[in-house]
Amino acid sequence: MLTLIENAVLWDREHPVPRTTDVLIDGQHIARTHEVPGTLRSEASGAQRFIDGSGCTLMPGMVEGHCHLSFTGPSSNADLGNIPPEDHVLASAANATLLLRHGFTSAFSAASARLRIDVALRNAIDAGQLVGPRLRAASPELTVTGGLGDERQLHQDRHGFGMIADGPIAMRQAARLCIREGVDNLKINISGDEFVSHVRAERNPLCDDELAAFVEIARKFGKTTVAHARSSDSVKQAIHAGIDCIYHCDFADSEALDLLEAHKSSVFVGPAIGLVHNALIERAHFGLDEATVKGMGLQRKFDHCVATYQELRKRGLRVVVGGDYGFALTPMGTNARDIAHFVNYLGYSTHEALCCATSVGAELMGNGLSTGMVCEGFLADLLLVRGDPLADVGILQHQSSLAMVMKDGHVCF
């Protein structure tokens, strides 16, 4: 099918100053772009679809770089284990469609709540059975006894998003199991988190030999490795082990920052600031009292995260958006708020933040597909936005601002 989009103002990484451009789409791919309006009319004489982009910005589809499609609004980690599996899959599928509706045409999963939910979603999307973003499916969060994701207690067996593996032998087995079941990304928790009382953010329950075993198996099977690492030492562990994408890095000291900079061509990072932001800045809206937030030390964590990413921006790290959306504190569909957080708190220009949400995220997807740009030969994953996101990046938070969401040349919404 030929589709011609006319009179839209084009923005992407290579066009920091937007300009009116016509775009011809042939099947799944962008065939031609031209800055002289009407020039492509002759080539599009047989087009089945004409779209008038007047008053709109044409930009690449966004990439959720820290995605949890199977996190379906829990108030606590243990809530995820209480959902019947059939209900859980259906709710996760609804999240996939919701995310695409909000302009995210790709999603890089940072963990599945249960093994194979992500895999099932990815397969259904690829087969055309489910409307959703192109998805890199993840494992559950591999962790150790007492680590982030271990919800068990002596008097009761409970489950959250964690998959327990103690010692290098068990870690190898768990990684192989996830790979056998079809994941693209292997996730591991190196540090704790302030949202968990028994293992706070600056604790590192994972041992070096366990992490090395995890990475060893991932490398043997060509899988992407992803790590939760808030403490400075956990960031260093992740870098030394060769982790591909390191989330949070809040408390990175000067040595950790230098290591990240030295490996900036091989590593991605993501602050996932949305969850902490909402719990701290908007706590009243979510029913959190000041004493609870203060007891969790969230102001300190937020301040460290801001300082870390202001520095990483200066050092040229590849940073992706995605703020742990899917919890009760961070409803799925509000994911584009992270782009504004990059501008309001982390020192990014609007152009830079939009690049993090498009071209940098496309690099992280690493699936051999050309996305994240409006260029000839690239896949037609495109958004037509009412207004100018460079002037007001907040408009991307509203589904009503999206005149069109296109994936693979198909108008989805």
Side-chain angles (χ1 to χ4, degrees):
M1 173 183 283
L2 284 176
T3 300
L4 181 61
I5 302 174
E6 297 181 293
N7 303 313
V9 175
L10 185 149
W11 174 89
D12 67 8
R13 184 183 68 195
E14 299 302 316
H15 298 90
V17 179
R19 62 202 71 184
T20 302
T21 305
D22 291 354
V23 177
L24 180 64
I25 297 154
D26 187 356
Q28 296 177 293
H29 294 86
I30 298 168
R32 292 266 282 133
T33 67
H34 208 288
E35 295 178 15
V36 178
T39 301
L40 299 181
R41 274 275 170 169
S42 60
E43 296 182 40
S45 58
Q48 291 89 349
R49 184 167 50 205
F50 292 86
I51 298 173
D52 183 7
S54 299
C56 294
T57 300
L58 183 68
M59 61 175 283
M62 295 183 287
V63 182
E64 226 297 356
H66 185 128
C67 193
H68 294 299
L69 289 178
S70 57
F71 287 22
T72 55
S75 296
S76 71
N77 298 339
D79 288 346
L80 289 169
N82 297 327
I83 308 171
E86 300 85 355
D87 298 351
H88 203 161
V89 173
L90 290 175
S92 301
N95 270 347
T97 302
L98 180 66
L99 189 62
L100 182 61
R101 281 186 180 276
H102 283 82
F104 288 86
T105 55
S106 293
F108 182 91
S109 183
S112 178
R114 284 186 168 106
L115 181 55
R116 292 209 80 259
I117 291 185
D118 268 9
V119 171
L121 294 180
R122 180 202 63 204
N123 293 348
I125 291 168
D126 290 350
Q129 299 166 339
L130 173 65
V131 177
R134 62 183 77 254
L135 176 64
R136 293 269 304 190
S139 68
E141 304 191 20
L142 273 63
T143 191
V144 295
T145 296
L148 172 63
D150 181 8
E151 300 299 323
R152 302 169 302 173
Q153 295 182 314
L154 279 177
H155 66 286
Q156 61 180 343
D157 193 21
R158 302 190 305 179
H159 300 277
F161 48 66
M163 185 174 181
I164 315 301
D166 291 316
I169 294 175
M171 190 63 70
R172 289 189 183 95
Q173 182 180 26
R176 289 190 184 107
L177 174 61
C178 294
I179 292 166
R180 186 193 72 191
E181 295 303 313
V183 305
D184 302 306
N185 306 335
L186 279 170
K187 172 72 175 289
I188 193 164
N189 292 338
I190 303 177
S191 79
D193 199 291
E194 303 301 356
F195 289 93
V196 180
S197 60
H198 66 271
V199 54
R200 289 298 178 94
E202 291 173 88
R203 298 288 182 187
N204 300 343
L206 192 78
C207 294
D208 287 338
D209 60 351
E210 292 167 322
L211 181 57
F214 168 85
V215 173
E216 176 191 7
I217 299 305
R219 293 289 176 264
K220 283 180 177 292
F221 288 88
K223 300 300 179 180
T224 301
T225 54
V226 183
H228 170 103
R230 291 196 182 274
S231 70
S232 187
D233 284 345
S234 66
V235 174
K236 297 170 193 176
Q237 278 183 279
I239 296 168
H240 291 314
I243 293 292
D244 299 308
C245 181
I246 308 173
Y247 290 126
H248 307 302
C249 308
D250 308 84
F251 297 103
D253 60 17
S254 58
E255 181 184 357
L257 291 172
D258 288 344
L259 280 170
L260 285 167
E261 183 177 11
H263 291 81
K264 65 182 180 181
S265 64
S266 60
V267 70
F268 292 86
V269 293
I273 196 173
L275 184 63
V276 180
H277 171 275
N278 288 5
L280 178 67
I281 308 298
E282 300 178 1
R283 60 179 180 270
H285 177 75
F286 294 102
L288 290 175
D289 59 69
E290 185 176 357
T292 299
V293 171
K294 186 175 181 180
M296 294 168 67
L298 294 187
Q299 184 67 62
R300 178 173 177 269
K301 178 194 277 189
F302 184 81
D303 291 344
H304 274 273
C305 180
V306 168
T308 292
Y309 280 88
Q310 287 180 350
E311 183 63 27
L312 292 180
R313 173 191 164 272
K314 295 175 186 176
R315 297 186 185 214
L317 269 290
R318 294 178 295 178
V319 183
V320 296
V321 303
D324 263 326
Y325 290 91
F327 290 97
L329 281 168
T330 50
M332 190 67 67
T334 63
N335 309 60
R337 298 191 76 194
D338 256 40
I339 306 171
H341 294 336
F342 275 44
V343 175
N344 295 333
Y345 301 108
L346 307 185
Y348 286 77
S349 69
T350 305
H351 173 76
E352 290 170 335
L354 288 171
C355 288
C356 292
T358 55
S359 58
V360 178
E363 289 181 50
L364 175 64
M365 290 294 290
N367 48 18
L369 301 176
S370 297
T371 59
M373 298 272 287
V374 187
C375 295
E376 295 177 7
F378 275 54
L379 282 172
D381 285 10
L382 303 170
L383 305 180
L384 200 56
V385 183
R386 295 183 177 97
D388 181 4
L390 281 177
D392 178 12
V393 75
I395 64 175
L396 292 172
Q397 298 173 26
H398 308 293
Q399 187 181 333
S400 60
S401 298
L402 302 179
M404 179 197 75
V405 177
M406 175 181 283
K407 178 191 162 196
D408 278 336
H410 173 70
V411 176
C412 302
F413 303 107

